[in-house]
Amino acid sequence: MGKDVIIACDFASAEETFKFLDKFTGKKPFLKIGMELFYAEGPSIIRKIKDRGHKIFLDLKLHDIPNTVKKSMAVLSSLDVDICNLHAAGASAMMKAALEGLTRPDGTRPLLIAVTQLTSTDQETMEKDILIKEPIDEVVMHYALTARNAGLDGVVCSAQEASKVHDVCGKDFLTVTPGIRFADDAKGDQKRVMTPAAAREIGADYIVVGRSITAAADPVAAYERCLAEFVG
Ligand code: C5P
């Protein structure tokens, strides 16, 4: 898979999701489905979206004991999604078990990427609540390297971290980056944002774009603009 724009479908129901997707006549954007929609609608939402021909990044961020994650990943893999994820904090054994669970009988599997530190966690929270004293960027790079060594395909990271992740983990290790805004957009609740063009410059592999597309007056035009800036 090459560079692509992934639309974050942060909708509360299948109805809202399909109302949005119906605007994209003839186009099949890569979609991110998160916990809200998955928990509201269950696995049927994934099957319906796959039937329409979209690729899916299923953003459920698993984190549990290795055996539970392995079995759960096998279920997600059978839904034929394209990317799954987990928390790197679950550690190497959990990440390796996840890969085993994801691998289908024919040897294929969805890509597996890790969340390092959530962007809602800052240095102070990390030190106070989880007793991690190292600088947060070192923690993020350590988690990324641990994920790579466990055999994962990449990480979710901010666009600001993407080029350092590539330096530390290699160019083939995927960086999937949210926090993307057009130069003329409101930032919303995102603190550190980057334009699709800047994300392309720093070598991000995939950008995840939510409100800049879903809340745009013309979502299809916004998606096309994103593709033009990021993929060219
Ligand atoms: O609307 P917006 O473009 O900010 O949406 C970004 C998407 O990426 C949301 O689904 C959000 O949950 C997700 N995300 C994020 N920051 C992270 C991880 C995921 O914004 N660190």
Side-chain angles (χ1 to χ4, degrees), residues 9-18 32-43 45-46 49 58 60:
C9 286
D10 293 324
F11 299 114
S13 68
E15 194 188 345
E16 266 184 69
T17 307
F18 290 121
K32 179 171 90 71
I33 306 297
M35 292 184 208
E36 183 188 10
L37 187 57
F38 190 78
Y39 292 153
E41 298 289 347
I45 184 79
I46 303 298
I49 294 175
L58 186 53
L60 298 182

Side-chain angles (χ1 to χ4, degrees), residues 141-177:
M141 294 309 147
H142 177 71
Y143 280 18
L145 203 50
T146 307
R148 197 208 63 183
N149 291 340
L152 268 67
D153 303 293
V155 284
V156 183
C157 63
S158 72
Q160 284 80 2
E161 291 160 348
S163 72
K164 191 153 181 214
V165 168
H166 280 143
D167 289 346
V168 171
C169 299
K171 284 273 170 272
D172 293 339
F173 195 65
L174 299 173
T175 52
V176 179
T177 68

Side-chain angles (χ1 to χ4, degrees), residues 28-217:
K28 303 288 176 195
F30 204 137
L31 305 175
K32 179 171 90 71
I33 306 297
M35 292 184 208
E36 183 188 10
L37 187 57
F38 190 78
Y39 292 153
E41 298 289 347
S44 70
I45 184 79
I46 303 298
R47 296 194 187 97
K48 286 179 192 155
I49 294 175
K50 283 302 289 187
D51 283 348
R52 287 179 169 225
H54 296 270
K55 287 184 178 170
I56 297 181
F57 166 20
L58 186 53
D59 179 18
L60 298 182
K61 302 185 180 72
L62 276 68
H63 187 173
D64 208 319
I65 59 170
N67 188 51
T68 302
V69 169
K70 178 177 169 176
K71 289 180 175 173
S72 307
M73 285 293 187
V75 176
L76 302 185
S77 187
S78 73
L79 294 174
D80 197 25
V81 296
D82 300 278
I83 306 180
C84 289
N85 65 353
L86 46 64
H87 276 281
S92 303
M94 187 199 79
M95 292 195 261
K96 288 178 186 164
L99 283 172
E100 281 175 33
L102 276 184
T103 306
R104 305 179 182 112
D106 66 0
T108 63
R109 65 166 174 81
L111 294 172
L112 183 61
I113 61 177
V115 175
T116 55
Q117 283 292 343
L118 292 170
T119 42
S120 50
T121 305
D122 59 12
Q123 186 74 37
E124 190 190 345
T125 309
M126 220 177 52
E127 290 183 14
K128 272 197 188 155
D129 291 5
I130 37 186
L131 279 186
I132 297 176
K133 306 287 182 200
E134 284 74 15
I136 194 158
D137 57 326
E138 274 179 34
V139 175
V140 168
M141 294 309 147
H142 177 71
Y143 280 18
L145 203 50
T146 307
R148 197 208 63 183
N149 291 340
L152 268 67
D153 303 293
V155 284
V156 183
C157 63
S158 72
Q160 284 80 2
E161 291 160 348
S163 72
K164 191 153 181 214
V165 168
H166 280 143
D167 289 346
V168 171
C169 299
K171 284 273 170 272
D172 293 339
F173 195 65
L174 299 173
T175 52
V176 179
T177 68
I180 302 293
R181 292 288 180 273
F182 293 119
D184 44 330
D185 270 347
K187 279 196 203 172
D189 55 354
Q190 296 280 18
K191 293 200 169 59
R192 294 192 300 151
V193 297
M194 197 178 265
T195 63
R200 174 195 172 131
E201 283 300 305
I202 53 90
D205 297 291
Y206 292 91
I207 52 173
V208 174
V209 187
R211 287 159 290 182
S212 290
I213 293 175
T214 57

